[in-house]
């Protein structure tokens, strides 16, 4: 473990079929004014809304609804939430949804009592937070982002076409998160796949960096293997509880900071995807799938040992008779096969991105990287290579 670390994750997790039975006890810890934050209405169709309202009424809460939080949540929507929290003296923001709803709730939580322009200060300039945050509780309805157990909040400024993630400290993690895998049964297939690839990408972003043999890398390999297995089952057998529950918990572990401890990380695929999404509003995980094979083919020579290990330990490729290069590339080919087999887009064209946007995306994507620090021209080359694939 090359790097020192502090590990403190304060989110209390209630996991399983009966996880919702704990909601009332949790609500007792907060005052009476609850901002009920949710998305476009899926929770009304699948009955989760009714369950939440029942618990809120039984604990005598004032319910202030904050609905219509969109995928890739926007700055304007966040400011709408800030006004509601101020007006109604909110004691708890209860976020019911996927990563977008939870991210926006955390955004509102940290922005409401900020002095000045919170988006400018906290997201763009990454300033230290110097104000109180409103507590957030989460009820997760879709697996993928890990937002239920981390401080991440990704917000899109739709006017300036920038999507920016800020990772806040433990002061802005959900206080509690309720994870019932059965809630994910109504997630449309496309969204489920998007969540699966998002979690897989989080694991790869943490894995492809450094050359040592840290326990974190072993953990990442196990979770990648487990996710491939669970995804194969869940896609075929939509109602398989074990597969669904594994996907939900792997996604949470994949980004609750545990799987990044003691090592450096990459996150360039996410940096590029965020700008693809800022311009096209694509589903986050699908944007990641579309560029990942091209990105890894571009950078593998700079970290070839880890790519060989990925091929053998994650995709079970037989190393016998293969050169280093052939083995590394076979792992990336297997990743692309995983994408294609499950009908995810393996190119920007399949994702529906107009070719004219490549240059703008390359101009605006944040530059970083794990094995290779990228320039704007590198990013453009990756986008170009990712544009069209069979
Ligand atoms: O809006 P509703 O009606 O709820 O429908 C949602 C939405 O249309 C639907 N959905 C969710 N649960 C459902 C369901 N439909 C039926 N039944 C259910 N049980 O799914 C659609 C997508 O939801 P969304 O919350 O947007 O998906 P996801 O969880 O993938 O979140 C994506 C956002 O999270 C950010 C992404 O950039 C993106 O903005 N991320 C957040 C991270 C973090 N906080 O750490 C890290 C990630 O890398 C990611 O960047
Ligand atoms: Zn992600």
């Amino acid at each position: 473990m090359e790097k020192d670390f502090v590990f403190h994750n304060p989110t209390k997790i209630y996991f399983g079929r009966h996880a919702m039975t704990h909601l009332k006890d949790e609500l007792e810890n907060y005052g009476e004014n609850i901002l009920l934050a949710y998305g476009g209405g899926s929770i009304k169709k699948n009955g989760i809304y009714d369950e939440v309202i029942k618990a809120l009424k039984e604990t005598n809460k004032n319910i202030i609804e904050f609905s219509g939080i969109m995928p890739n949540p926007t700055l304007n929507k966040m400011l709408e939430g800030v006004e509601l929290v101020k007006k109604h003296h909110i004691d708890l923001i209860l976020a019911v949804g996927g990563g977008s709803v939870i991210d926006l709730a955390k955004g509102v939580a940290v922005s409401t009592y900020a002095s000045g322009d919170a988006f400018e200060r906290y997201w763009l300039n990454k300033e230290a937070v110097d104000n109180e945050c409103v507590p957030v509780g989460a009820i997760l309805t879709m697996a993928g982002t890990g937002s239920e157990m981390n401080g991440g909040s990704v917000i899109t400024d739709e006017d300036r076409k920038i999507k920016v993630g800020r990772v806040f400290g433990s002061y802005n993690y959900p206080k509690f998160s309720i994870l019932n895998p059965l809630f994910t049964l109504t997630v449309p297939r496309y969204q489920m796949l998007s969540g699966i690839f998002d979690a897989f990408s989080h694991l790869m972003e943490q894995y492809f960096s450094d050359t040592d043999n840290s326990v974190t890398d072993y953990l990442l390999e196990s979770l990648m293997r487990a996710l491939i297995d669970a995804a194969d089952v869940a896609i075929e057998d939509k109602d398989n509880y074990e597969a669904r529950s594994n996907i939900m918990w792997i996604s949470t572990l994949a980004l609750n900071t545990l799987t990044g401890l003691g090592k450096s990380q990459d996150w360039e695929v996410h940096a590029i995807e965020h700008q693809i999404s800022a311009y096209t509003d694509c589903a986050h995980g699908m944007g990641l799938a579309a560029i990942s094979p091209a990105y890894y083919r571009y950078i593998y020579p700079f970290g070839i040992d880890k790519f060989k290990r990925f091929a053998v330990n994650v995709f079970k490729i037989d190393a016998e008779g293969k050169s280093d290069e052939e083995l590394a590339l076979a792992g990336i080919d297997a990743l692309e096969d995983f994408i294609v087999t499950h009908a995810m887009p393996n190119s920007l064209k399949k994702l529906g991105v107009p070719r004219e946007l490549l240059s703008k995306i390359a101009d605006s994507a944040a530059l970083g990287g794990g094995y290779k620090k990228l320039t704007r021209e590198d990013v453009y080359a990756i986008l170009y290579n990712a544009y069209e694939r069979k």
Side-chain angles (χ1 to χ4, degrees), residues 144-145 198-199 201-202 255 267 270 273-274 284-285 288:
T145 65
D198 188 20
S201 175
H202 296 161
L255 202 52
W267 296 105
H270 271 67
E273 191 287 328
H274 281 173
H284 171 61
L288 298 168

Side-chain angles (χ1 to χ4, degrees), residues 40-42 98-100 103 141-142 150 152 163 183 186 202 270 274 284:
S42 66
S100 295
D103 275 19
T141 64
M142 180 186 148
N150 70 32
K163 181 172 180 179
F183 287 176
T186 55
H202 296 161
H270 271 67
H274 281 173
H284 171 61

Side-chain angles (χ1 to χ4, degrees), residues 142-291:
M142 180 186 148
T145 65
S147 186
E148 64 277 10
M149 202 180 183
N150 70 32
S153 173
V154 186
I155 302 295
T156 298
D157 179 339
E158 64 274 46
D159 301 326
R160 283 187 279 180
K161 297 263 180 259
I162 35 174
K163 181 172 180 179
V164 199
R166 168 73 194 262
V167 181
F168 295 104
S170 53
Y171 50 86
N172 200 26
Y173 281 39
K175 302 292 174 216
F176 64 89
S177 283
I178 292 179
L179 276 56
N180 180 345
L182 295 175
F183 287 176
T184 68
L185 291 180
T186 55
V187 176
R189 187 184 169 92
Y190 188 82
Q191 289 298 339
M192 177 179 82
L193 287 165
S194 176
I196 288 169
F197 198 82
D198 188 20
F200 200 81
S201 175
H202 296 161
L203 297 166
M204 292 193 292
E205 296 271 30
Q206 294 165 99
Y207 184 69
F208 288 119
S209 59
D210 291 348
T211 49
D212 70 319
N213 222 8
S214 77
V215 65
T216 299
D217 284 328
Y218 287 100
L219 207 53
L220 288 161
E221 285 167 353
S222 307
L223 291 173
M224 284 190 267
R225 272 280 1 125
L227 186 53
I228 292 166
D229 289 349
D232 287 344
V233 174
I235 290 160
E236 286 304 311
D237 177 5
K238 188 180 149 315
D239 298 326
N240 188 302
Y241 180 81
E242 188 178 67
R244 288 276 173 165
S245 59
N246 283 338
I247 290 170
M248 192 173 233
W249 188 230
I250 294 164
S251 306
T252 304
L253 290 173
L255 202 52
N256 75 348
T257 75
L258 176 75
T259 48
L261 296 177
K263 70 191 296 281
S264 52
Q265 304 174 22
D266 184 335
W267 296 105
E268 188 58 26
V269 177
H270 271 67
I272 300 172
E273 191 287 328
H274 281 173
Q275 280 315 103
I276 296 171
S277 159
Y279 278 100
T280 66
D281 201 24
C282 66
H284 171 61
M286 294 308 191
L288 298 168
I291 54 172

Side-chain angles (χ1 to χ4, degrees), residues 299-312:
I299 64 143
Y300 84 87
F302 304 92
I304 194 154
D305 287 343
K306 190 59 90 51
F307 282 90
K308 283 163 53 192
R309 192 174 148 173
F310 176 74
V312 174

